[in-house]
Amino acid sequence: MQRMDATTCLKSLLLAISQYRNSRSATNASQLKTQIDDLSGVKCGRLLVSGQVLPSECLSGLVELVGDPNTCPALTGTIISLLAQLAAADNERREALHSRYNLTGTLASVIHCNSATPREPVVLQCLQVLQKLTYSMRIPHCTPYMDELIAFLIQHVQSPNEDITMPCLGVLANLCRSNLFVQTHVKSLSHVKAFYRTLINFLAHSSLTVVVFALSILASLTLNEGVGEKLFHAKNIHQTFQLIFNIIVNGDGTLTCKYAVDLLVDLLKNPKIADYLTRYEHFSLCLSQVLGLLQGKDPDSAAMVLELLVALCSVPGLRRQLCQTVLRAQGPRLQALAKKEGRGQWVEPDPGLALLQWASLPLDGPEACYLQALSLFAELFEEVTVSVPSGSAQAFLDLLLPVLLGLLQGPSIPLSELQLKKHCVRAARVMDLLLVLSSDDAMKMQVSQQLSSQLCVLQVELLLSSSHMDMGFSCPATSSDLSQVGAEVILKVLQLMSRLKQLVRDMETSFYRILQDQRMVTPLSLALASDHREHVQTALRILLEAAPLPDFPAVILGECIAANNAYRHREMELSMQSPPNLGRSLAPLTAHPPTSSQSIHNLIEKLQSSMELQEQVKDVRVSEIMDVYEQKICALASKEGRLQDLLEAKALALSQADRLIAQYRCQRAQAEAEARKLASLLKEAERRKEELQGELSTQMLEAERAKADIQQLLQHNTRLQAESQEHQSLKGSYNELLHRYNECERMLKELQAAHISLNKQTDTLRKQNESLKVHQDRLLTQLAEQEEQIKGLDSGLQERRAEILDLQQELKRQDEHSRERETERKDMEDTIDMLRKDLSKTELAKKDASIKASSLELQKSQLEAKLQKKEEELSKHTQMIAMIHSLSSGKLKNETVNLSL
């Protein structure tokens, strides 16, 4: 009934939009406003963005009216209020509003058209919707009027009206976050430094929301630059951490807490800031306060806290500390909890137990909460397998496993497509957690004790029997989100069964039986053609185990993969042939006709019932009737195949038509926006032309006055030229004098350097003279000693000569008596020979003494020459050197006489 009411409201709304387009009267505007109010009361937000034809027509018409400047302002405000309700929903609806209907560009054009009057209510409404629409959404820079929107936001950030300042900061924070094109555009502005100063001044604002917005923008723009290095320095980062945690714990609103969480998540992506947080002294206290927020029953706050905790797990040190805080051993406390859970009571505050309760929410509960809780459990138990001993988490695992296995239980009633998708997404997170647990031996044993093969088989059977997985082998598999998620869950269940097949009863048999099911070709083909490497690797591992099985449908799998490749190739060709589209095409209407297997089963049941009725009658024509029915069945099957092909062709044509319609609407909206922009430019050009004409007349008068001024300037120029020539001559003389002055100064420096060097040489010569005096005295002493030795040798020589004469005379006397004293003569001859030898030795000694005397005399002459040179250089010591020379010359004369003797 509600669907019928929503459809009726949409039809009435489309009619009212058409009437208002044809005639923009007050009556039609009032009627359209009434239809919009009625639609706001009906809960059909998901239907509006479902992509169906009727809701798409309505939304396109409303967005077109918002972008039309001729629309009534009151009606524009009502439409924007409806769009604000849609933009406040989940990311899927915001993505649809931006991509399919170009709502971001439309609102930006409205703000641009009303930029001269920023205090208008429509501008504030557009900013508020843009803040909701762009949150956690990466808006491409090619969106129409994006540059104008950024300029408007930066201009009005400093507005004294805080009602417009805060949404401007929020929209700018959303646009700058994780958007390199917008960041580059803002950094390239000429007044970006002034904008930085304004944001830094906002850090002292009284509103925490403004502070968080300013910090978020600064982190997006300057985190890896010089300004960011100073702003997020080690000295300041602790204050920033304290501010963010205070906002998260004691925030004044959900919006402020969301942006504070996003800011901390963005900061953690920087390794340096993440390291600062690991060394933050108050982190343990802040972590316990943040975990305390999980005790409340507010899903939005819990979702923010869980998102922050998952982000903290990206830092190894923080994940280890978080794991020790959440999964610490509880002992008897967990046993008391098990009893309380049996009575359905809310247990006493504890972070691990609070996480467990958020993870065990029903399927229709807040999806972000239980998905983030399961992801956090996966991160924590992965840390357990890496660093923390598994024994500390086994007590908690006894509570967690029943909850996880309960989440995998099949529903008692058939699920809709949306509910089935939610179930698949949650089952995928649960399987990720179970796979992490099965990677540790101790926890793997715990999982195998509580997991049954029937649960895995029921989970796979639920997904394989759904219409999105039970597809014929002749048609290619669609790439819808539900099919992809279902295939992912099936493969993860099989991966878990492969790990536990030796530990769980009947698990190995069930595992190989599922692998030989022909329906497995769909998830395997989807995983093998996936863009995620993990899915491809999982599919390949399962394929390696399934390939040796005798009944594995390898041929059908190959045909399915080939059909998928051909289908994608065909889609690529169609997309290349069609003109480029600014937005995404509308989703085609889908119909699911009964499959051939269902019709064949129905006919077989009818035949069996008719044969049971005729068991008593033996009819020989039953075989002929069976042949006829078989022919009819074959004909129906071939006819159904042709109808299926026709339906696919119709669906493809409808999809292409929807794409062309959406393209036409986008081009039409863009053309109208460009026309409005050209009209405003034309008006601006005409106004500028009139201004230039007035300026031209004034410039003509100024030109006449300028001619007279030029004549005076020429006369003044001639005088200046004469003065310039005189100045040049004076400048030449000045340069000459300056050159002479430089030369004199250089010569003075050289003479000073020479004077200093001569003084040094004088000191050196004085020292050498003193050393030479000492050496001369030593040589004179040696010379006197040598003279005394020579005199002693001369006296000894004279005595020997006298003795020789005496001996010769005695020899003569003895010769006379030689005959008588023959014996004596021989003795004397021997004596004479000995004396001769002594005489020769004495002469040799005399020669040596004379040689030494001559060398000493030569040294003395050399010293005298040196002393003469020193006398010429040192006039002060001339007389003293002359006295030494005279004394030495007198001694030389005596020595010469002695030597001659």
Side-chain angles (χ1 to χ4, degrees):
M1 184 64 184
Q2 183 179 356
R3 177 62 182 272
M4 292 298 296
D5 293 340
T7 304
T8 304
C9 290
L10 290 175
K11 291 181 179 178
S12 302
L13 177 62
L14 186 59
L15 180 61
I17 292 172
S18 178
Q19 291 176 355
Y20 184 76
R21 281 177 182 169
N22 297 329
S23 176
R24 299 180 182 271
S25 61
T27 305
N28 291 336
S30 177
Q31 184 179 0
L32 179 57
K33 186 175 181 299
T34 304
Q35 294 295 331
I36 293 174
D37 293 336
D38 294 340
L39 186 64
S40 300
V42 180
K43 296 182 179 180
C44 57
R46 188 168 295 277
L47 179 62
L48 283 172
V49 294
S50 62
Q52 298 182 9
V53 177
L54 181 59
S56 299
E57 290 286 344
C58 293
L59 267 183
S60 299
L62 292 175
V63 173
E64 183 180 353
L65 290 178
V66 169
D68 191 352
N70 298 322
T71 306
C72 176
L75 181 60
T76 302
T78 304
I79 298 174
I80 292 177
S81 299
L82 175 63
L83 296 174
Q85 296 178 7
L86 298 177
D90 52 8
N91 292 333
E92 185 178 357
R93 300 187 193 182
R94 289 199 295 269
E95 174 66 25
L97 289 173
H98 168 71
S99 59
R100 294 181 188 172
Y101 306 103
N102 193 24
L103 182 57
T104 306
T106 302
L107 295 176
S109 66
V110 173
I111 293 175
H112 177 66
C113 293
N114 296 275
S115 59
T117 57
R119 295 182 180 272
E120 289 292 329
V122 67
V123 177
L124 183 59
Q125 275 187 311
C126 290
L127 288 174
Q128 292 172 350
V129 176
L130 276 176
Q131 186 175 353
K132 297 176 182 178
L133 184 64
T134 57
Y135 179 74
S136 297
M137 189 72 63
R138 188 178 180 278
I139 307 299
H141 190 255
C142 59
T143 303
Y145 292 100
M146 180 57 66
D147 294 342
E148 292 83 356
L149 175 62
I150 295 174
F152 176 85
L153 296 174
I154 294 177
Q155 179 184 357
H156 292 84
V157 159
Q158 297 176 327
S159 174
N161 184 10
E162 290 191 1
D163 293 337
I164 193 172
T165 300
M166 192 172 294
C168 284
L169 282 172
V171 175
L172 196 57
N174 294 339
L175 294 178
C176 292
R177 187 187 181 197
S178 302
N179 196 329
L180 184 60
F181 296 103
V182 176
Q183 294 173 8
T184 306
H185 176 72
V186 174
K187 292 177 186 178
S188 64
L189 298 177
S190 58
H191 53 282
V192 66
K193 293 184 178 180
F195 177 59
Y196 286 162
R197 287 193 293 269
T198 303
L199 294 177
I200 294 173
N201 292 333
F202 277 141
L203 299 181
H205 201 273
S206 59
S207 174
L208 292 178
T209 307
V210 174
V211 174
V212 172
F213 285 162
L215 266 178
S216 178
I217 298 172
L218 287 171
S220 300
L221 296 177
T222 67
L223 189 57
N224 297 318
E225 296 183 357
V227 179
E229 291 290 336
K230 297 178 182 178
L231 187 62
F232 299 101
H233 194 262
K235 299 179 181 179
N236 307 326
I237 195 64
H238 299 293
Q239 300 176 1
T240 306
F241 289 151
Q242 189 63 44
L243 173 65
I244 293 174
F245 281 115
N246 286 337
I247 294 174
I248 295 173
V249 177
N250 306 313
D252 54 356
T254 306
L255 179 67
T256 309
C257 294
K258 278 185 179 180
Y259 279 90
V261 170
D262 294 338
L263 174 60
L264 187 55
V265 170
D266 293 340
L267 291 177
L268 286 175
K269 296 177 182 177
N270 190 310
K272 186 181 295 184
I273 297 180
D275 183 61
Y276 290 154
L277 185 57
T278 56
R279 291 181 280 136
Y280 179 46
E281 56 182 354
H282 303 298
F283 177 73
S284 300
L285 178 61
C286 295
L287 180 61
S288 61
Q289 292 177 349
V290 171
L291 290 172
L293 298 177
L294 295 175
Q295 309 300 332
K297 297 183 180 181
D298 183 14
D300 293 334
S301 301
M304 290 186 301
V305 173
L306 291 170
E307 181 185 359
L308 175 60
L309 295 176
V310 173
L312 291 176
C313 290
S314 61
V315 183
L318 302 180
R319 186 174 76 168
R320 188 177 304 109
Q321 191 169 353
L322 181 60
C323 180
Q324 294 172 355
T325 304
V326 176
L327 299 182
R328 61 180 181 271
Q330 301 293 326
R333 187 177 181 182
L334 291 178
Q335 299 177 359
L337 170 66
K339 297 179 181 178
K340 290 183 179 181
E341 281 189 346
R343 296 192 296 269
Q345 297 180 3
W346 186 271
V347 296
E348 60 186 46
D350 182 88
L353 305 180
L355 275 177
L356 191 62
Q357 290 174 351
W358 285 115
S360 60
L361 290 175
L363 193 61
D364 53 353
E367 186 177 3
C369 292
Y370 58 74
L371 291 182
Q372 293 283 7
L374 291 172
S375 298
L376 182 59
F377 274 129
E379 292 284 346
L380 296 179
F381 278 100
E382 187 175 355
E383 180 65 27
V384 170
T385 60
V386 174
S387 60
V388 182
S390 59
S392 61
Q394 289 180 357
F396 188 83
L397 191 57
D398 290 335
L399 288 177
L400 178 62
L401 280 176
V403 174
L404 296 179
L405 300 181
L407 296 178
L408 291 177
Q409 293 292 338
S412 58
I413 58 175
L415 298 177
S416 62
E417 181 177 348
L418 179 61
Q419 291 176 335
L420 183 60
K421 183 178 179 181
K422 286 185 176 180
H423 174 75
C424 290
V425 173
R426 186 174 66 175
R429 299 290 176 91
V430 173
M431 296 310 302
D432 288 336
L433 179 53
L434 291 175
L435 288 172
V436 171
L437 296 175
S438 63
S439 61
D440 182 78
D441 295 336
M443 293 188 292
K444 184 178 181 181
M445 292 301 298
Q446 284 185 274
V447 174
S448 63
Q449 291 172 2
Q450 300 192 32
L451 182 66
S452 63
S453 60
Q454 291 81 5
L455 181 60
C456 298
V457 172
L458 290 176
Q459 191 68 29
V460 175
E461 187 64 29
L462 172 66
L463 298 175
L464 287 178
S465 60
S466 64
S467 59
H468 291 269
M469 285 296 172
D470 189 14
M471 292 176 294
F473 307 122
S474 60
C475 61
T478 60
S479 59
S480 63
D481 294 337
L482 183 55
S483 301
Q484 295 288 346
V485 177
E488 179 184 352
V489 174
I490 292 174
L491 294 181
K492 288 181 179 179
V493 173
L494 291 175
Q495 186 177 2
L496 181 64
M497 294 176 70
S498 176
R499 290 186 182 182
L500 303 177
K501 61 185 178 181
Q502 302 296 335
L503 301 176
V504 181
R505 182 180 179 183
D506 296 333
M507 183 67 79
E508 187 174 9
T509 305
S510 303
F511 175 64
Y512 289 129
R513 185 170 61 250
I514 293 173
L515 289 182
Q516 297 181 81
D517 193 340
Q518 291 187 353
R519 294 174 296 177
M520 278 299 298
V521 297
T522 300
L524 282 176
S525 61
L526 289 175
L528 290 172
S530 176
D531 297 334
H532 301 280
R533 64 177 66 182
E534 295 83 2
H535 299 170
V536 178
Q537 292 171 0
T538 303
L540 288 174
R541 283 194 292 268
I542 294 174
L543 188 61
L544 286 176
E545 294 195 38
L549 299 177
D551 294 333
F552 177 70
V555 178
I556 300 176
L557 177 61
E559 292 179 357
C560 190
I561 294 174
N564 286 337
N565 294 336
Y567 181 77
R568 291 187 177 187
H569 182 67
R570 184 181 179 187
E571 286 290 328
M572 187 181 299
E573 288 180 351
L574 290 175
S575 62
M576 293 176 63
Q577 291 175 4
S578 60
N581 189 7
L582 296 177
R584 293 185 180 178
S585 61
L586 302 178
L589 291 173
T590 57
H592 300 286
T595 58
S596 59
S597 60
Q598 294 177 354
S599 59
I600 292 172
H601 285 306
N602 292 334
L603 289 174
I604 291 173
E605 289 177 358
K606 290 179 181 179
L607 284 173
Q608 289 177 352
S609 61
S610 62
M611 289 179 67
E612 288 176 358
L613 292 174
Q614 295 178 0
E615 280 182 355
Q616 304 296 330
V617 182
K618 294 183 179 180
D619 192 355
V620 295
R621 299 181 60 189
V622 173
S623 60
E624 297 179 0
I625 295 173
M626 290 292 294
D627 295 337
V628 172
Y629 275 114
E630 288 179 356
Q631 293 176 1
K632 288 183 179 181
I633 288 170
C634 295
L636 287 173
S638 60
K639 186 177 181 181
E640 186 179 4
R642 290 194 298 271
L643 289 175
Q644 183 71 23
D645 296 338
L646 182 61
L647 180 61
E648 290 178 2
K650 291 292 184 181
L652 186 61
L654 182 60
S655 174
Q656 188 173 4
D658 291 337
R659 285 197 297 269
L660 292 175
I661 291 171
Q663 177 191 357
Y664 167 71
R665 286 174 182 161
C666 294
Q667 290 178 352
R668 177 180 167 185
Q670 186 179 6
E672 291 179 355
E674 290 178 354
R676 289 193 295 269
K677 188 174 181 179
L678 290 175
S680 62
L681 291 175
L682 180 60
K683 292 179 182 178
E684 182 68 21
E686 291 178 354
R687 184 181 61 80
R688 184 64 179 164
K689 178 182 177 183
E690 294 176 356
E691 293 177 356
L692 291 175
Q693 286 179 352
E695 292 177 358
L696 181 62
S697 60
T698 56
Q699 288 179 359
M700 292 291 290
L701 296 175
E702 291 178 357
E704 293 178 357
R705 289 196 296 268
K707 287 182 180 179
D709 294 339
I710 289 172
Q711 295 297 330
Q712 295 178 0
L713 289 173
L714 290 174
Q715 295 175 0
H716 184 64
N717 189 19
T718 54
R719 291 195 299 271
L720 289 176
Q721 287 180 354
E723 292 178 357
S724 176
Q725 292 177 357
E726 184 179 0
H727 174 72
Q728 291 294 333
S729 61
L730 291 174
K731 187 175 181 181
S733 61
Y734 169 75
N735 291 331
E736 185 177 358
L737 291 173
L738 181 63
H739 179 68
R740 290 173 60 188
Y741 170 75
N742 292 332
E743 289 291 332
C744 292
E745 187 176 4
R746 184 180 59 79
M747 291 175 65
L748 177 61
K749 291 180 179 179
E750 292 178 355
L751 290 174
Q752 288 176 350
H755 176 68
I756 293 170
S757 64
L758 288 174
N759 288 334
K760 292 181 179 179
Q761 290 179 2
T762 303
D763 295 336
T764 304
L765 290 173
R766 187 181 296 111
K767 293 178 181 179
Q768 290 180 356
N769 187 17
E770 292 175 356
S771 63
L772 287 173
K773 285 180 182 178
V774 174
H775 191 236
Q776 183 183 11
D777 294 338
R778 189 169 59 251
L779 289 176
L780 290 174
T781 304
Q782 293 178 359
L783 183 61
E785 293 176 354
Q786 293 291 335
E787 287 176 352
E788 291 177 356
Q789 291 178 2
I790 291 171
K791 288 179 180 179
L793 292 173
D794 289 334
S795 60
L797 183 61
Q798 292 294 332
E799 292 176 355
R800 292 294 179 91
R801 286 180 177 176
E803 290 178 357
I804 291 169
L805 292 175
D806 294 335
L807 292 173
Q808 288 177 354
Q809 291 176 2
E810 188 177 356
L811 181 61
K812 289 179 180 180
R813 288 191 302 268
Q814 288 178 357
D815 287 334
E816 296 175 354
H817 305 286
S818 59
R819 296 178 180 176
E820 299 174 352
R821 300 180 178 180
E822 184 67 19
T823 305
E824 294 178 0
R825 186 181 61 78
K826 292 181 179 179
D827 295 333
M828 292 298 292
E829 286 177 357
D830 295 333
T831 303
I832 291 170
D833 292 335
M834 291 175 66
L835 290 174
R836 285 177 181 175
K837 291 179 180 179
D838 293 335
L839 182 61
S840 63
K841 289 179 181 180
T842 303
E843 287 177 355
L844 290 174
K846 181 180 178 181
K847 288 181 180 180
D848 292 334
S850 62
I851 291 171
K852 288 181 181 181
S854 62
S855 64
L856 290 173
E857 186 178 1
L858 179 61
Q859 290 179 2
K860 182 179 179 181
S861 62
Q862 291 177 355
L863 289 173
E864 287 176 354
K866 289 182 180 180
L867 288 174
Q868 288 178 1
K869 291 181 181 179
K870 299 298 179 183
E871 285 174 356
E872 295 175 357
E873 295 176 355
L874 301 172
S875 60
K876 294 180 182 181
H877 303 284
T878 305
Q879 296 177 358
M880 187 181 295
I881 296 171
M883 292 173 63
I884 295 170
H885 182 68
S886 61
L887 292 173
S888 61
S889 61
K891 292 179 180 180
L892 285 172
K893 290 179 181 178
N894 295 328
E895 290 173 359
T896 306
V897 173
N898 292 330
L899 290 174
S900 62
L901 291 174

